[in-house]
């Protein structure tokens, strides 16, 4: 393999700054609605209105800024598979600062290709807002020392449908003598759309 397979996107300072702009835009839209529609109808002092406005901005930042640093990324090259994901609000906030300061990131796990015995692929059904059904893929890497490393994609940076890249990853590992355990024959379906894969998974569930 001459190039890396990157599932997700390595966030840059520019990505973070763009996210800041979007966050501030929505924050000031909400603030504008409150200032021009809600506050005039409420009998409170201008001082309290200012305090509430500052609190809204502060709470919005506290809630949304860490989300920027909460994405996932998987990188595969000729020698290693590396997985990046920061958990916890405080750690995600620090991740945003790290990106802004252009410091090197550290992988959650870094596994050499030669140490992988097999990779199993499975799925889990999910239910989102308004009862919308979906699925998430589950990957388990069994190492030759019998350690199991799991990867469950749920918030891949860069967005989009990464199923074809998962197929590319599995094909690459298979060529490197890594056994692919695929009881539901999902690998061959990864080239389909997400809706088609969901329909396929629903049929599996119906036949259980």
């Amino acid at each position: 393999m001459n190039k890396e397979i990157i599932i997700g996107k390595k966030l840059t300072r520019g990505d973070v700054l763009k996210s800041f702009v979007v966050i501030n835009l929505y924050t000031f839209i909400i603030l504008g609605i409150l200032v021009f529609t809600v506050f005039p109808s409420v009998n409170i002092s201008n001082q309290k209105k200012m305090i509430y406005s500052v609190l809204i901005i502060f709470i919005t930042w506290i809630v949304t800024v860490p989300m920027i640093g909460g994405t996932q990324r998987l990188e595969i090259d000729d020698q290693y598979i590396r997985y990046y994901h920061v958990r916890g609000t405080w750690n995600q906030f620090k991740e945003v600062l790290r990106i802004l300061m252009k410091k090197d990131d550290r992988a959650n796990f870094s596994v050499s290709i030669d140490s992988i015995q097999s990779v199993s692929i499975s799925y889990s059904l999910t239910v989102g807002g308004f009862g919308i059904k979906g699925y998430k893929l589950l990957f388990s890497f069994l190492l030759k020392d019998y350690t199991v490393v799991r990867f469950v994609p749920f918030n891949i940076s860069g967005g989009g449908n990464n199923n074809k890249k998962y197929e590319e990853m599995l094909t690459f590992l298979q060529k490197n003598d890594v056994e692919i355990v695929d009881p539901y024959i999902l690998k061959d379906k990864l080239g389909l759309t997400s809706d088609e894969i969901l329909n396929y998974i629903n049929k599996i569930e119906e036949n259980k």
Side-chain angles (χ1 to χ4, degrees):
M1 182 172 63
N2 297 323
K3 65 176 182 178
E4 287 183 317
I5 299 173
I6 300 177
I7 302 173
K9 180 178 181 293
K10 186 173 183 178
L11 298 180
T12 64
R13 181 186 290 181
D15 295 321
V16 171
L17 293 177
K18 288 177 185 176
S19 298
F20 280 159
V21 171
V22 173
I23 289 170
N24 286 328
L25 177 62
Y26 281 104
T27 300
F28 284 108
I29 288 174
I30 294 171
L31 198 58
I33 293 172
L34 290 173
V35 169
F36 294 106
T37 62
V38 177
F39 285 171
S41 63
V42 180
N43 187 22
I44 57 175
S45 65
N46 290 330
Q47 184 179 8
K48 286 185 176 180
K49 290 178 183 178
M50 180 63 69
I51 292 172
Y52 291 149
S53 298
V54 171
L55 282 174
I56 289 168
I57 295 173
F58 180 74
I59 291 170
T60 302
W61 272 60
I62 290 294
V63 172
T64 58
V65 169
M67 294 179 183
I68 301 172
T71 56
Q72 295 176 302
R73 187 173 84 256
L74 196 67
E75 297 179 353
I76 304 99
D77 60 26
D78 290 324
Q79 296 182 331
Y80 290 94
I81 290 182
R82 298 179 180 89
Y83 170 57
Y84 300 84
H85 175 50
V86 179
R87 295 181 176 86
T89 301
W90 175 240
N91 289 329
Q92 290 169 354
F93 187 81
K94 289 193 294 183
E95 174 68 5
V96 173
L97 295 179
R98 182 200 65 75
I99 295 170
L100 290 173
M101 296 171 67
K102 293 187 174 181
K103 290 187 176 181
D104 293 334
D105 51 357
R106 184 178 298 175
N108 292 61
F109 68 74
S110 181
V111 178
S112 68
I113 302 297
D114 292 339
S115 70
I116 303 173
Q117 179 172 312
S118 66
V119 179
S120 64
I121 174 173
S122 185
Y123 68 87
S124 175
L125 290 173
T126 61
V127 179
F130 303 103
I132 297 175
K133 293 183 179 180
Y135 70 92
K136 58 184 177 182
L137 298 175
L138 313 174
F139 297 93
S140 295
F141 298 85
L142 175 63
L143 308 187
K144 292 178 180 177
D145 65 358
Y146 299 105
T147 300
V148 176
V149 180
R150 291 183 174 86
F151 170 57
V152 183
F154 74 95
N155 187 19
I156 294 293
S157 51
N161 185 342
N162 293 289
N163 290 334
K164 290 184 179 180
K165 287 193 174 182
Y166 299 140
E167 181 183 19
E168 187 179 352
M169 173 188 73
L170 294 172
T171 299
F172 166 72
L173 292 173
Q174 198 167 29
K175 288 179 179 178
N176 282 269
D177 299 322
V178 175
E179 179 187 2
I180 306 301
V181 181
D182 186 13
Y184 300 111
I185 318 177
L186 289 169
K187 178 178 177 294
D188 295 338
K189 307 298 180 183
L190 292 176
L192 302 176
T193 66
S194 293
D195 287 340
E196 289 172 330
I197 295 175
L198 178 59
N199 290 334
Y200 175 73
I201 290 174
N202 285 333
K203 289 180 181 177
I204 294 174
E205 290 294 306
E206 290 172 3
N207 294 326
K208 281 186 175 180

